[in-house]
Amino acid sequence: MDVVVCVKRVVDTETKVRVAADGKSLDPAGVQHVMAPYDEMALEKALRLRDAAGGGTVSVVTLGPPEASKELRTALAMGADRAVHLVASATGDALSTAQALAEAVKALPHDLVLCGKQATDDDDAAVGPMLAALLGVPCVAFVVALDVAGKVATAKREVDGEAEVLEVDLPAVFTAQKGLAEARLPGLKGIMAAKKKPLEEKATTPPPSKTSVRALALPPPRAACRKFPPTAEGVRALLGALRAEKGVL
Amino acid sequence: VSAKDVLVVAEVREGRAKKTALEATTAARALADAAGGEVVALVAGEGVSAAASDLGRHGADRVLAVEGEAFRRLVGSALAEATLAAVAEASPRLVLFSATVAGKETAPAVAARLGCAYVADATALAFDGDAVVATKPKYAGKASATVIALGTPVVASLRGNVVAPREAAKAGAVSPLAVDLPPARVRLKEVVPPAVREIELTEADVVVSGGRGLGGPENWNLVLDLAKALGAAHGASRAVVDAGWRPHSEQVGQTGKTVSPKLYVAVGISGAIQHLAGMSSSKTIVAVNKDGDAPIFSVADYGVVGDLHQVVPLLTAEAKAFLSK
């Protein structure tokens, strides 16, 4: 089975966000980068599907700066067979990204495409469904389980507290929700093997974006916390304050 | 046909417009009023007349109704096809979805097929000359971005719980819209109902979440009892989900669900950045923790420093008495 996984290099989720001097981007000082957590889950699932099928390839694609080769090496060390790096010093919005990725995905063997449900920086959850629309294939977003039998996949996702089980004609795009698969840590053997796997770099200029960020702001600071004593009187006063001062309850 | 109209893509649950659809209609009404345009609502489902009148009552000038079994559950491309037909019929300036599962799956697909701008999970929207200006959270709410979207139409999804539904009765004249669906490549095989009917975390007005301070899964009834007393949904921190005490679907935080209820109660949660990212946009935050220096108190409005095993049962009992008054 051949699977393409789209991944993104993002700032670590434990990052303390500061706004840069331009007023519209993240201050890069001291920021660590990782493969987006949901993309890792998508990759893990792809590796398991390939292995369960007893053959095939997992190709990983990213659009990003030259430094994103680090995340692709991680993907290869986890077990992906090959990587394609669309190298772009500047990237655009979700549609621009999906358009660039679609061209790369078309050139790779794929029975299905997996993406994380969203990158943990822009939080758009848009590239997967856009990619499917551009490729003209079906999409199921937010899947927590996925099985493939021949040319049909069975996917499960949670909607309004219920679980939907869906049968999907392949090829198709799926986006990973937490629960799909827990990503493995690459072992030393994988890290050594990754150095010999193909990592193709393609200079890329993504199509123009229709949206742009004018400003990035931190949420307003919250007022100091008012403490109540851990007693019956204390919690009564707390409930009273919630109703009288905050209008809840 | 006006270049100032807003098309709302409304979802139906059990025959009525979902709360998120009423929120989007209310937001659309304000936008259309400011621009001198109309609100057109699209409603697709099986038996949509009651939902259509819900939308009219909340400010839809007209309603495009798509009826059919194929739209009963919005899987595959059904909602995208209906939306594209409605866009062709109404030529809106803005196409507004709710940031639900169906909305987040469909809105980007519609934007890609129209080749137009998409703003995901907007918390505010305005027309500004040729542009739509939107505010949206980034980095799981650690920051918010002002986004300029150009071109016509602009597609957006509206985050739940940021606009309160408001009645603003308009004609809501219903006209049927015919939609041709291609053969379904995604088919619903089964719907597994929840064991207990529960309030959806992301739509709840009140959320009670528990963390590692509970000590173990056997103490989770403390969280459940308080949630029940407050009529709240219940959630969990990542530490607790990773430890296997609670399912992934209950996780609140950057790699879980983002919630912004009117009241968020954090029990035994220290407040890792990861967790704060998923809940710090809640309107009021209450924290119960034994460590008075825990980071959760930096975002909490009210706090109780003490042993949660004593404080939470007290809070539950007092809340029951308080709410019955």
Side-chain angles (χ1 to χ4, degrees):
Chain A
M1 187 187 320
D2 298 315
V3 188
V4 174
V5 184
C6 300
V7 304
K8 184 179 185 185
R9 170 185 169 90
V10 299
V11 298
D12 191 290
T13 55
E14 292 296 334
T15 302
K16 187 152 172 51
V17 168
R18 284 183 302 267
V19 179
D22 68 1
K24 57 182 184 180
S25 61
L26 182 77
D27 182 352
V31 166
Q32 303 289 313
H33 290 83
V34 295
M35 190 191 310
Y38 296 106
D39 297 350
E40 274 191 334
M41 296 172 203
L43 173 57
E44 178 65 40
K45 186 66 196 182
L47 298 172
R48 292 186 200 178
L49 286 170
R50 176 200 63 191
D51 295 346
T57 57
V58 171
S59 310
V60 181
V61 186
T62 198
L63 169 72
E67 298 77 20
S69 60
K70 174 177 91 75
E71 282 67 41
L72 290 178
R73 284 290 170 205
T74 303
L76 294 171
M78 284 172 67
D81 299 284
R82 61 186 287 195
V84 177
H85 185 175
L86 306 178
V87 186
S89 50
T91 54
D93 64 8
L95 185 54
S96 163
T97 299
Q99 286 166 335
L101 290 173
E103 292 311 308
V105 171
K106 279 180 200 163
L108 291 164
H110 62 278
D111 297 296
L112 64 157
V113 180
L114 283 168
C115 305
K117 70 160 178 162
Q118 67 193 62
T120 46
D121 48 5
D122 292 335
D123 287 332
D124 283 341
V127 166
M130 285 177 167
L131 186 58
L134 296 170
L135 294 170
V137 302
C139 177
V140 179
F142 313 118
V143 302
V144 294
L146 182 63
D147 291 303
V148 176
K151 283 289 171 194
V152 177
T154 304
K156 184 174 159 187
R157 69 168 171 198
E158 286 158 12
V159 183
D160 297 336
E162 297 174 332
E164 285 181 348
V165 181
L166 302 161
E167 193 177 78
V168 187
D169 293 342
L170 298 181
V173 175
F174 301 89
T175 75
Q177 169 66 294
K178 188 158 184 178
L180 182 64
E182 279 307 309
R184 69 190 75 182
L185 287 172
L188 188 60
K189 211 171 133 197
I191 293 168
M192 297 309 289
K195 292 179 179 164
K196 298 197 180 92
K197 289 178 178 174
L199 194 166
E200 184 188 349
E201 294 183 335
K202 282 186 191 168
T204 303
T205 305
S209 294
K210 298 212 164 50
T211 68
S212 58
V213 174
R214 185 163 70 185
L216 188 68
L218 300 181
R222 299 185 80 108
C225 178
R226 184 170 149 205
K227 304 265 173 70
F228 293 85
T231 58
E233 294 71 31
V235 299
R236 269 202 295 277
L238 165 62
L239 293 164
L242 283 171
R243 182 176 283 172
E245 295 168 18
K246 301 294 182 185
V248 292
L249 299 183
Chain B
V1 173
S2 158
K4 298 161 187 167
D5 295 349
V6 181
L7 174 68
V8 174
V9 181
E11 291 170 52
V12 182
R13 188 192 291 164
E14 289 160 1
R16 305 303 297 264
K18 283 174 81 164
K19 180 177 164 230
T20 48
L22 302 180
E23 292 171 0
T25 308
T26 299
R29 184 72 257 162
L31 282 163
D33 284 345
E38 291 206 319
V39 174
V40 184
L42 165 69
V43 59
E46 199 176 28
V48 297
S49 55
S53 32
D54 292 338
L55 299 168
R57 210 168 50 250
H58 287 79
D61 295 289
R62 56 195 187 103
V63 179
L64 301 172
V66 181
E67 283 276 0
E69 206 270 331
F71 300 94
R72 191 167 59 83
R73 287 194 75 102
L74 300 169
V75 303
S77 66
L79 187 59
E81 301 296 345
T83 305
L84 290 167
V87 168
E89 153 72 26
S91 303
R93 174 79 187 82
L94 175 70
V95 183
L96 188 58
F97 287 81
S98 300
T100 56
V101 167
K104 283 175 160 175
E105 181 178 84
T106 306
V110 167
R113 285 173 66 177
L114 293 171
C116 67
Y118 175 54
V119 182
D121 214 19
T123 54
L125 290 154
F127 293 128
D128 182 6
D130 289 344
V132 170
V133 181
T135 307
K136 77 163 303 269
K138 284 200 182 212
Y139 308 103
K142 288 183 220 168
S144 74
T146 306
V147 176
I148 312 296
L150 296 172
T152 299
V154 167
V155 178
S157 57
L158 180 70
R159 172 174 277 211
N161 263 348
V162 299
V163 174
R166 202 167 46 236
E167 296 209 355
K170 294 284 171 183
V174 181
S175 50
L177 181 70
V179 178
D180 291 325
L181 289 183
R185 290 181 289 175
V186 178
R187 296 168 295 274
L188 184 68
K189 270 181 70 182
E190 193 187 352
V191 176
V192 186
V196 190
R197 188 85 198 167
E198 288 180 337
I199 307 165
E200 168 64 22
L201 254 181
T202 54
E203 293 177 20
D205 284 337
V206 183
V207 173
V208 176
S209 287
R212 204 145 39 181
L214 267 298
E218 67 278 9
N219 296 325
W220 211 256
N221 60 317
L222 291 173
V223 171
L224 301 180
D225 290 349
L226 179 58
K228 198 172 168 207
L230 295 172
H234 56 91
S237 71
R238 184 172 78 176
V240 156
V241 170
D242 286 350
W245 299 359
R246 303 299 301 173
H248 295 307
S249 56
E250 292 180 8
Q251 185 183 324
V252 172
Q254 188 156 15
T255 51
K257 289 180 173 162
T258 302
V259 299
S260 43
K262 292 190 182 120
L263 174 61
Y264 187 88
V265 183
V267 174
I269 292 176
S270 63
I273 288 180
Q274 225 272 353
H275 187 77
L276 300 184
M279 47 63 76
S280 57
S281 64
S282 304
K283 277 120 204 143
T284 300
I285 297 169
V286 173
V288 179
N289 204 294
K290 67 175 192 300
D291 175 8
D293 294 326
I296 190 74
F297 290 112
S298 70
V299 299
D301 299 281
Y302 298 147
V304 180
V305 180
D307 179 0
L308 67 88
H309 296 90
Q310 283 153 22
V311 174
V312 173
L314 271 177
L315 188 54
T316 302
E318 292 294 338
K320 278 184 193 159
F322 184 79
L323 292 171
S324 65
K325 271 191 267 187

